[in-house]
Amino acid sequence: MNLFRLFGDMSHLASILLLLYKIQTTRSVRGLSFKTQALYVTVFVTRYLDLFYDYVSLYNSVMKTFFITSSCYVLYLMKKKYRPTNDPSIDTFRVEYLLGPCVLLSLIFNYRFTFAEILWSFSIFLESVAILPQLFMLQRTGEAEAITTHYLAALGAYRALYIPNWIYRYWMEDQVDPIAVTAGIVQTALYVDFFYVYFTKVLQGQRFELPA
Amino acid sequence: PLAADHHDEL
């Protein structure tokens, strides 16, 4: 565990707390993509199956359990409690275009050709693109509440911080995880546009609005 | 380099 990773994980934790805070205070899931949230549940469930057969540390188990339960809770809030505030008509990204290639990639690139390892690999590839329905929705509506953009910024920061973590591990621990690194770089790159608007507008006190 | 323990990272 190095500081980049610790801060990355804390940023990931913060992003989920921001997401829950946004939903509870505005009593609305407006501006959130159900598809992205459902993809995150898929990511966490397929990746953290190792909770049942591979104990790493208390920290590791607690975080994995938190990510699975909180993401399922968000789905419940979107589909049940605040259902009337969810607008599927603007959440139109075709998820099958993400799932298909991820299945294919995980069958080709994995560390062992076993069910659990293929699922792990699938979850890594899927996580790298899971934010796309959300970013697509943002692009369509052209604006977002500040709190929603803070959520996305924390999520993006988590991914960005994993990159120096891998560099650190490469040099200091002589360890490398090519699948996670490749997917992680792709995932971080997807946030570049968002971060540009976030830094130039939201952090300057302006509304998050995309040019028409 | 060695393969990282990929079940350790979140």
Side-chain angles (χ1 to χ4, degrees):
Chain A
M1 174 67 76
N2 56 67
L3 280 182
F4 298 116
R5 220 183 104 197
L6 183 64
F7 286 138
D9 288 347
M10 289 306 118
S11 184
H12 194 187
L13 203 59
S15 77
I16 292 168
L17 297 177
L18 279 165
L19 178 64
L20 292 170
Y21 178 80
K22 177 254 172 320
I23 298 173
Q24 305 289 9
T25 52
T26 63
R27 302 189 57 77
S28 155
V29 295
R30 198 172 70 93
L32 299 176
S33 163
F34 177 80
K35 289 181 176 175
T36 281
Q37 298 305 325
L39 289 178
Y40 280 131
V41 171
T42 314
V43 165
F44 295 141
V45 170
T46 50
R47 185 173 321 160
Y48 299 156
L49 281 178
D50 57 8
L51 269 174
F52 296 105
Y53 59 84
D54 189 16
Y55 180 80
V56 180
S57 65
L58 181 64
Y59 171 83
N60 190 278
S61 298
V62 169
M63 292 292 267
K64 285 175 174 175
T65 310
F66 175 78
F67 290 133
I68 292 176
T69 47
S70 61
S71 61
C72 289
Y73 180 59
V74 169
L75 281 199
Y76 156 77
L77 291 176
M78 294 191 82
K79 272 293 162 193
K80 296 279 178 204
K81 197 165 179 199
Y82 297 115
R83 190 188 183 103
T85 62
N86 180 34
D87 184 4
S89 72
I90 51 167
D91 193 12
T92 51
F93 194 92
R94 299 289 294 269
V95 177
E96 42 292 27
Y97 294 150
L98 301 180
L99 293 171
C102 288
V103 170
L104 204 63
L105 282 172
S106 63
L107 290 171
I108 303 170
F109 302 102
N110 52 65
Y111 292 127
R112 279 181 76 187
F113 203 78
T114 62
F115 185 64
E117 284 299 320
I118 290 168
L119 277 185
W120 178 87
S121 197
F122 168 75
S123 84
I124 292 288
F125 292 123
L126 188 61
E127 186 190 350
S128 72
V129 291
I131 198 64
L132 284 176
Q134 178 67 63
L135 294 177
F136 186 69
M137 189 165 161
L138 209 61
Q139 194 75 249
R140 268 192 76 160
T141 53
E143 43 101 49
E145 293 162 295
I147 184 75
T148 306
T149 65
H150 298 326
Y151 156 64
L152 289 169
L155 202 55
Y158 142 64
R159 290 320 307 185
L161 283 161
Y162 258 64
I163 293 177
N165 154 59
W166 291 319
I167 297 171
Y168 177 91
R169 296 192 77 173
Y170 177 82
W171 290 107
M172 306 304 283
E173 298 169 16
D174 202 30
Q175 292 203 346
V176 70
D177 179 342
I179 293 177
V181 170
T182 315
I185 291 171
V186 170
Q187 186 174 0
T188 310
L190 296 181
Y191 284 90
V192 169
D193 254 14
F194 166 81
F195 268 119
Y196 177 76
V197 182
Y198 184 74
F199 283 121
T200 56
K201 288 205 167 172
V202 182
L203 290 188
Q204 314 292 325
Q206 298 175 40
R207 280 181 57 76
F208 183 94
E209 271 178 318
L210 298 174
Chain B
L2 306 158
D5 174 15
H6 53 283
H7 292 281
D8 163 32
E9 290 192 348
L10 298 161

